[in-house]
Amino acid sequence: MGILIKNGEIVTASDKFVGDVYCDGDKIVAVGSGLVKQGADDVVIDASGQLVFPGGIDAHVHMELPFMGTESSDDFETGTAAGVAGGTTSIIDFVIPARGQHLLDGLAMWKEKAKKAVADYAFHMAVTWWGDRTKSEMEQCVREEGIPSFKTFMAYRGAIGVDDVELIQVMQTAKDLGALVTVHAEHGDIVVALQKKLVAEGKLEPKYHALSRPAPVEGEATNRAIMMARMIGEPIYIVHLTCREALDAVTDARRRGQLVMAETCPQYLILDDSVYDKPDFEGAAYVMSPPIRPKGHQEALWAGIASGLIQVVATDHCPFNQVGQKDMGRDNFTKIPNGAAGIENRLGLLWTYGVLGGHIDVNRFVDLFSTQPAKIFGLYPRKGAIVPGADADLVVFDPKGSSVISAKTHHHRCDRNIFEGFEVKGKVSHTIVHGRVQYKDGKLDVVRGAGRYLPRKLEAPAAARELR
Ligand code: DUC
Ligand code: ZN
Ligand code: ZN
Ligand code: ZN
């Protein structure tokens, strides 16, 4: 059975034209005009007046992550389903072994959890400590498991965070393997010191979370990670960049010709730190790391996108319920699990605030949402492209109409939405995954376990070189 999408405006990272897409089985087989049905039972979608995008790739999510004494509330099934409802058809989750746990033992756990995904998934491997076997296990990740990207945390010292010596070892090993290192850049020791000081002063409410990790904490760590990568001669990818200080470090690196890539997330582009002033512990919903920044940083991030310093908009989807999870920190902000839901809303927010807000054009929208993550992380052109041979993962988007984001109607398994009440323009009319319509007119039709693991390979991080 095939799917024929007729007369849509097909938008890729580089093109925009009215045409048809024909999918057979789980692949795109033809893109052109005047395409006709091949089989009697083919599904035909009239996309006139609508846009057709490659399915979104969220390169930064955490499904059922054991973290801060609890576990993120979306599992691989509910989280990928929420993604499909929001036009995201592939995720890259992070295997995060506990300190002392071997990488491959962590990977085995994540493989088991991910079996219920409804859409395709890949893994980054976090190196959370350095042991005798780390080097050979990193090699096995790259050569046998299809995991050529590693994650390090400069924050969360004492738990999953690494020190500078460990970070250098990861970078050197990744360089030898042709792999890419991604970094959560916050100065972990300073965060701990600031937390202690605030707690000692009796400053315990959610708003102090933000004051315990101010922008210079991120700027310093971003610059330090970039300098270490420069010493080693290894590219680096900064996850969830949130502030001017960190952008400045990226700007300097790029001026030197250093290959530094950066990602940000909708919450850092759209929200400001006034969210932490909400009464009744509601500020806890916005406790994530790095925190939401003061007014001003948002425009700087949009400018960073416009000038090409930032390549990817992901979500850091890591939901925790207000009731039963966030409230563990009711008396102490340092105990509030860090993270929020976002995978379902990435498209609508990036469209509304990015494209309609005049910051990016439609091609750049597709690039940030799908094509760059595919290129940087070794999924292109199987993902992130509308070409014959690519996976039949597509979004048909109706730019007319609008909706209001709410925890009452979202598909995230979470009792809060940090964009509650925000109006987004347009709507996903169809999400096609593996050549099957899995979301249509507001209804999901997904299959638990239908998602496939995506082994990846980097062409000597050169795929990432095409910086714009
Ligand atoms: N930040 C979060 O807010 N949650 C998960 C991990 C992280 O780095
Ligand atoms: Zn092991
Ligand atoms: Zn992080
Ligand atoms: Zn994260």
Side-chain angles (χ1 to χ4, degrees):
M1 192 191 75
I3 296 183
L4 178 61
I5 304 170
K6 290 289 293 175
N7 300 316
E9 181 149 39
I10 298 166
V11 185
T12 67
S14 51
D15 285 313
K16 187 161 79 108
F17 55 95
V18 173
D20 311 331
V21 182
Y22 185 73
C23 310
D24 190 18
D26 61 1
K27 297 285 179 201
I28 295 171
V29 296
V31 182
S33 56
L35 300 185
V36 293
K37 271 170 81 162
Q38 300 292 306
D41 59 351
D42 281 357
V43 172
V44 180
I45 297 171
D46 174 12
S48 44
Q50 301 193 64
L51 306 167
V52 182
F53 306 134
I57 297 167
D58 195 335
H60 189 153
V61 302
H62 304 281
M63 306 304 173
E64 50 190 307
L65 171 69
F67 192 54
M68 295 185 74
T70 182
E71 193 169 90
S72 59
S73 57
D74 262 318
D75 64 20
F76 278 82
E77 180 182 8
T78 59
T80 51
V84 169
T88 286
T89 54
S90 303
I91 60 166
I92 314 182
D93 197 284
F94 294 81
V95 177
I96 306 186
R99 227 186 146 78
Q101 185 182 33
H102 288 287
L103 303 188
L104 297 176
D105 299 340
L107 178 58
M109 286 171 55
W110 256 258
K111 280 182 177 171
E112 196 53 42
K113 296 194 259 201
K115 278 182 181 160
K116 49 191 177 299
V118 308
D120 291 355
Y121 57 94
F123 298 126
H124 305 286
M125 175 58 73
V127 181
T128 57
W129 62 295
W130 192 265
D132 292 348
R133 279 145 72 175
T134 306
K135 196 169 170 177
S136 64
E137 289 200 310
M138 284 178 69
E139 181 169 1
Q140 198 163 333
C141 284
V142 174
R143 303 221 199 282
E144 282 158 49
E145 301 289 350
I147 303 180
S149 51
F150 295 94
K151 168 77 175 286
T152 52
F153 295 89
M154 297 170 84
Y156 307 118
R157 295 300 308 285
I160 54 177
V162 292
D163 64 25
D164 291 348
V165 176
E166 291 170 320
L167 179 51
I168 287 268
Q169 284 167 304
V170 176
M171 286 180 178
Q172 183 63 56
T173 306
K175 181 186 179 180
D176 296 343
L177 294 168
L180 181 62
V181 176
T182 75
V183 180
H184 172 134
E186 286 183 298
H187 193 310
D189 294 330
I190 299 210
V191 171
V192 171
L194 289 174
Q195 284 178 332
K196 278 199 185 131
K197 178 171 181 285
L198 290 161
V199 169
E201 291 167 358
K203 296 174 172 164
L204 300 167
E205 298 101 282
K207 68 176 178 190
Y208 294 109
H209 169 76
L211 299 183
S212 73
R213 356 181 47 112
V217 160
E218 181 183 338
E220 185 282 333
T222 305
N223 191 54
R224 181 157 35 105
I226 287 173
M227 287 295 172
M228 286 194 247
R230 181 184 180 197
M231 274 188 272
I232 302 285
E234 165 72 354
I236 186 170
Y237 177 98
I238 310 293
V239 302
H240 52 44
L241 185 147
T242 75
C243 61
R244 273 193 216 98
E245 288 78 351
L247 265 180
D248 288 346
V250 176
T251 306
D252 289 350
R254 289 284 194 82
R255 274 204 201 108
R256 292 192 292 269
Q258 191 179 342
L259 180 56
V260 175
M261 291 158 279
E263 159 201 289
T264 191
C265 311
Q267 59 270 32
Y268 301 121
L269 288 163
I270 298 168
L271 303 177
D272 67 67
D273 67 351
S274 62
V275 295
Y276 294 115
D277 296 331
K278 292 187 192 250
D280 303 325
F281 196 62
E282 285 299 319
Y286 304 85
V287 168
M288 62 184 73
S289 294
I292 305 294
R293 297 301 181 193
K295 270 202 178 70
H297 290 277
Q298 299 75 25
E299 278 307 309
L301 294 178
W302 283 118
I305 285 177
S307 67
L309 292 172
I310 295 171
Q311 286 74 52
V312 173
V313 175
T315 62
D316 200 9
H317 180 82
C318 189
F320 295 101
N321 287 300
Q322 190 80 356
V323 179
Q325 296 191 293
K326 292 278 185 179
D327 53 11
M328 296 190 310
R330 190 168 272 281
D331 302 322
N332 182 339
F333 72 87
T334 67
K335 304 216 156 47
I336 300 171
N338 287 198
I343 189 169
E344 183 174 357
N345 303 124
R346 186 171 62 118
L347 187 158
L349 292 165
L350 192 55
W351 180 264
T352 303
Y353 290 87
V355 177
L356 303 182
H359 294 292
I360 50 174
D361 66 17
V362 289
N363 301 111
R364 192 71 202 289
F365 162 82
V366 169
D367 211 26
L368 293 160
F369 182 66
S370 175
T371 307
Q372 278 301 322
K375 285 184 174 172
I376 291 170
F377 292 113
L379 293 168
Y380 189 84
R382 176 175 175 187
K383 306 288 187 187
I386 304 183
V387 292
D391 281 2
D393 294 349
L394 295 157
V395 180
V396 184
F397 181 74
D398 185 350
K400 299 179 291 297
S402 65
S403 62
V404 175
I405 295 175
S406 174
K408 291 194 187 72
T409 49
H410 70 191
H411 295 82
H412 304 136
R413 190 158 73 187
C414 188
D415 62 6
R416 291 293 184 280
N417 189 302
I418 56 173
F419 296 100
E420 185 73 35
F422 280 55
E423 187 186 63
V424 287
K425 302 288 185 190
K427 65 173 198 292
V428 173
S429 73
H430 301 72
T431 307
I432 295 153
V433 191
H434 297 168
R436 199 172 73 77
V437 177
Q438 305 217 7
Y439 179 79
K440 185 182 167 193
D441 301 329
K443 286 207 176 52
L444 276 170
D445 175 17
V446 291
V447 180
R448 177 184 166 96
R452 295 167 304 193
Y453 174 62
L454 299 169
R456 298 176 293 123
K457 215 182 201 153
L458 298 187
E459 318 218 341
R465 284 193 197 210
E466 208 187 292
L467 298 178
R468 27 197 289 181

